[in-house]
Amino acid sequence: MDHSYQAWQEALAEEFFGQQHAGHPTLFYVDDDVEQELRRGYGIDEPIIRCVGKFLRLGTAEPYSALEDYRWRKRQQDKNSVPSFLPLLACSVMAASRMVNDQNHRATAYHARFSELLTGDEKRLGSQHYEPISRMWQVLASWQLSQRGARGLCTIPAPADLPSNRSMIGFAQSQALLSGADRSLMPKFFRSLREHGATWPLPGETLLAQIEIRGLERHFSKGFRSALQEEEFRPFLAKLIGNYAAAWDGSDELVPTGVTRAELLVRLDAGRLSWVARLRSAEQKVRIELKGGVVLEQLGDTAYYEVTGLPAPSAETLGRSIRRDGDNLVLSRPSSSVLVLARDDVLGVWAGTDGFRPGEAHVVLASATAQRDVQRLLDKAATTGRNSDTSRLAWVPRGWSMHRPVTFDDAVTLRRALQEVQGAVSLLQPPAQFKLRLEGGLKLAPSLASHLYLRGGEPHVVLPDAMDGTLLVDGKERPELMKAIAAGRLVPLAVLRLQPGRHTVSYAGAEIDFATADHAVVEPRMTKVCGFTVVDGTASEPPSLLGEQDLPTGITGADCTGATAQTTAAVMSLCRRDANEVLFAAADGRLWTLEAPEQPDWWTERLPDTPAPLRFEADFHGIGGWLLERRSGRWKGRPMSPGTPEPETAGNPRAWARAVLNAQQASTEPSWAEYVQAAKELTR
């Protein structure tokens, strides 16, 4: 990839997924005007269309493979960075923004627009080529959700939210529905509804109806007006508008650019409601002071803060929005007529949540205006907690009803009921799932492997939404899991009583590996060393903790006087001192970084004419593998009794695989090809 592509990637990542969007809904909206503004603002010479177009492999079955390969290489370097296909996805949104009736196309002719945009020919890229791009959208959504709001709240729809005839192009179209100008109109519109005493937040469909009743649609963009008229796409537009309303904190700006938003949540602890703040940002201070005497104190090493200086949660404070400003930070909470609490793993108590979690217990509080909607939802979908708890508890807000413990064992039924009831509960959808993944479980020695679990404490499997497939464990369909799969819940693997070893979970073409064991040997990381100090050649009688000044002369370790000599023959190799990096990838999955020893002082005295660079020796006792050297950006490798690679037997296989794949061009020998193939199998 050339410099211009990377420049576009960095510009789009900063503009749409930067930390300034923490806690706010973000849309990846790019049209021709936005593209020109970004070019000027970030000083990029090449237009994004030409930049992306020159990396397409036209005429092949996989025209976007070069961009996918680039994204994969960047992911090996930094797994938490924004996926490196943003320029291509930006072009897909630009194509959606051009979908209007003209002399050549109907408004629905997306693929012709996209092909013409990137190739100049409306037929070179067809619908049969578009599936990889739809997968990229889901990867981006999954990444953004994994950041827990620190890079903006995701507005990319789940596959289940898209019309069946838009299952692939709907992701790009969703981001083109609301322009920046559209979003700037929202606060004024929301305030006009709140002034009439409406229960807040209103469902998205009601908001759209109010826009039409008041004749406000003429103020919005063409994309918004077109979606408003489409029966199939209108439900998603309603959900998008509803999510913006739920995040609106009563301020004049929907998303204050460059200002971090801390969310004000309700906490239930020891029979008392109180406030706690959650800061979705990488930079977290221990103490934050806001206007009006409000102070945030960090709770340990978490993203949560104790809040002082605000009136306690009550019917009055819950029914209106709260906002407090500080230095580059806003603490806010939109008004709400329904409060849902769930057990928070970090706080260890009940705390406010964004939506229902199937299979878990909830406490549901509802104001008088929302009680009918809540009761209808519970009657349709709840497993427990349908009846209102009539006990007179002091912490329940006056005039509010309470249901506990509310559980929804069937996620499919819950989603259907939320769509039918709408009303005050319409925004409490379970979080969208975009990819197959593991959740929970008892991890055994995470320092050894990230997916190693104690036998009997296997994780749950989270299935992606709206994907058809058969869940296989170790290549077999397991009847014990069918009930959880049918209900759309987390699928527990512990019920299978798997034997220790490696296991594979596959579904709809995706695959995840994990391992189970009864125990693991973990070498402790010692920051202090116990031993005997030495003074005038005599060791101290009692042992003590040795500091850095005592370590060189102290006596540490075991008595090795009875040890036998090393009998394994050593293999020696010469390594270049001027190499940028020297690695040794062992056949069993261990990986070492070799550091050059200090240059002796006598070199310059005895070897004045020795040509640079000099080399240093590396000895390998009873172990085989490949020695890898990187110089001037290129890798070269030498076999050291390499043997057959078995990277899952020791060490950190994933770190080993990353190193091997980064250096896969180091040699053309068949032995090295075996190492590269083993690394690829590990990372699938």
Side-chain angles (χ1 to χ4, degrees), residues 471 473 476-486 491 495-496:
L471 181 66
V473 180
K476 300 178 181 178
E477 189 173 358
R478 306 301 290 262
E480 307 97 307
L481 307 179
M482 294 305 297
K483 186 176 181 180
I485 295 172
V491 182
V495 301
L496 300 179

Side-chain angles (χ1 to χ4, degrees), residues 358 408-413 482-489:
F408 300 92
D409 285 343
D410 193 317
V412 176
T413 302
M482 294 305 297
K483 186 176 181 180
I485 295 172
R489 300 197 307 269

